[in-house]
Every structure is written in C-alpha cells, then in structure tokens.
Amino acid sequence: MKKLLKKLEIKPIITTICLVIFQSILYFVSKLLQGDLNLVGNVIDTKIPFLPAFFIPYCIWYLMIFIIPYYLYCKDKNKFVKYTISYILCSMVGNIVFITYPSTVTRPEVTGTDIFSMIAKLIYWIDTPVNCFPSLHCAISMLFILYVCEGKNTTTLTKMSVIIISILIMLSTLFTKQHVVSDLISGDILAIIIYFIVKPTKKLPNYIKNKLNI
C-alpha cells in the first residue's frame, strides 16, 4: 500500500477536484442568474425511448472526469494542461449560454421498480432538468476522445475503449432524457471548437506547467 501511495500522483487529482468545484460554482451562479426557461427538443427527441439502464454509462462520466486527466498527466503533461484549459473554457462558455439562454427538457415519469428505475428516480431527484443546452456531459466526453486519441504513445485498445465509453455516455444523455439531440450536438461542437483553439497554443501551457511545477 505504501508503494502504491508513493506512485500515486496527487497533482492531477487535486486539479480535477478544483475543476469540478469550479464547474459546480459556475453552475450554481448560472441558476441564480437565469431567467425564464426555454423548453428544448423536437419531434426526433420524442422518438428516442427512455432506457433507464443507460443511467449506468451516464454515471460513469463522473469517474471518467478523474480517470482521463490522470491518464493524460501520466502520459503527457502538455496534453494534461491543454485538457485542463479546455475543460475550464467549456465550463465557462457553457454557463454563459445557460445564463443567456436558460433551458429545460421534458422528463418522463419513472414508474418502474427495478434497480435502473430506482437509479433514475434518484438522479431525477438530485439533478433538476435545467441548463441543458449545450450538454457539458457531452462536451467533456468529446474532450476525452480528442485528447486521448491525439496521443501517439496511446495504444489502440485504450483509444477504442475511451471512444466507446464516451459515445455511450453521450447516447446516455438522450436515452435517460437528461438532454435532447440539440444539447448533444452543441456540446460536441463546443468541445471541438475549443480543442482547436487551445491545440496550437504553447506559451500558456508551458507557463502553467512551470507555475504548478509539473
């Protein structure tokens, strides 16, 4: 256990915790400042079935936001820093949209008594259906794919695993009725745009690396 603790990198874990706190604060502030909610969704969304089992990949996202940055930190410090910057920018832009265009979705009534339905009821109780567009769940999942697949020393198995899990997470936002198609698409577009904005930068990541001594 002592050897394991010695090998454990603390900085990426602390950084991720700070990112989650930062995102949570922004989300809380955006809810305080938001106006009337706009119902998002169209005919396509009404055709997508409600599948409570997809709350499993939906919840896996909360593990991935710790696993992916830790992996990037161990593999390539530059990618870790750029991922961190992208995460912050996605959160900031997303919450600006939440304030200027507050949104909500229609949720189904959960009547099942199976384990997946119980998870659905719990998450619906904890998470209010507001600030849906764009989906930060999908935006950050797209960042997982972009930064892990960019690595030349990343195995094909790792890349494929991250792609599959991330896609399942994105689809889960639809099948759990937490988001609609426009939320997913806008979240992915947001992540891709920010990724290509951050990608060519060198001075800022190096400055942050030096300041954090990583």
Side-chain angles (χ1 to χ4, degrees):
M1 180 61 72
K2 289 183 178 180
K3 290 182 178 180
L4 180 62
L5 291 175
K6 286 182 179 179
K7 292 181 179 180
L8 186 66
E9 296 283 358
I10 300 299
K11 287 182 181 178
I13 298 175
I14 294 175
T15 301
T16 302
I17 292 173
C18 291
L19 289 177
V20 173
I21 293 173
F22 174 75
Q23 183 183 354
S24 299
I25 292 173
L26 286 182
Y27 186 78
F28 176 75
V29 171
S30 69
K31 288 182 71 175
L32 290 178
L33 299 177
Q34 69 187 14
D36 295 332
L37 297 174
N38 300 279
L39 181 64
V40 291
N42 53 43
V43 177
I44 296 176
D45 297 297
T46 63
K47 304 297 182 181
I48 299 174
F50 173 61
L51 303 175
F54 269 84
F55 271 105
I56 299 303
Y58 184 85
C59 291
I60 288 176
W61 182 84
Y62 294 97
L63 293 175
M64 294 289 281
I65 59 175
F66 284 91
I67 294 172
I68 296 300
Y70 190 90
Y71 174 82
L72 293 173
Y73 182 91
C74 295
K75 284 287 185 178
D76 190 327
K77 302 295 191 300
N78 282 325
K79 286 185 177 60
F80 168 76
V81 173
K82 288 187 176 184
Y83 165 85
T84 301
I85 295 171
S86 298
Y87 188 111
I88 292 172
L89 291 176
C90 279
S91 297
M92 291 176 66
V93 173
N95 279 277
I96 289 172
V97 177
F98 296 160
I99 294 171
T100 57
Y101 184 77
S103 56
T104 186
V105 294
T106 301
R107 283 176 170 174
E109 182 181 355
V110 184
T111 57
T113 56
D114 59 283
I115 183 64
F116 299 123
S117 296
M118 297 301 290
I119 294 174
K121 291 177 182 178
L122 176 62
I123 292 178
Y124 278 3
W125 178 71
I126 295 173
D127 184 24
T128 53
V130 296
N131 295 342
C132 308
F133 177 90
S135 168
L136 292 183
H137 229 76
C138 294
I140 304 304
S141 295
M142 179 56 70
L143 291 182
F144 297 160
I145 295 174
L146 294 171
Y147 280 102
V148 170
C149 290
E150 184 187 279
K152 294 180 180 180
N153 58 343
T154 303
T155 65
T156 301
L157 178 60
T158 299
K159 291 179 181 179
M160 290 305 299
S161 298
V162 171
I163 290 172
I164 291 171
I165 293 172
S166 298
I167 290 175
L168 284 174
I169 290 172
M170 293 179 199
L171 292 176
S172 75
T173 64
L174 303 180
F175 290 124
T176 59
K177 298 299 179 178
Q178 288 285 79
H179 290 280
V180 295
V181 174
S182 59
D183 301 338
L184 186 155
I185 295 174
S186 59
D188 286 350
I189 291 174
L190 171 63
I192 292 170
I193 291 174
I194 287 177
Y195 169 79
F196 282 108
I197 291 174
V198 175
K199 183 179 173 65
T201 59
K202 293 181 179 180
K203 290 185 178 180
L204 182 58
N206 289 332
Y207 175 80
I208 294 174
K209 279 173 59 182
N210 292 331
K211 286 296 182 181
L212 297 178
N213 192 27
I214 60 176

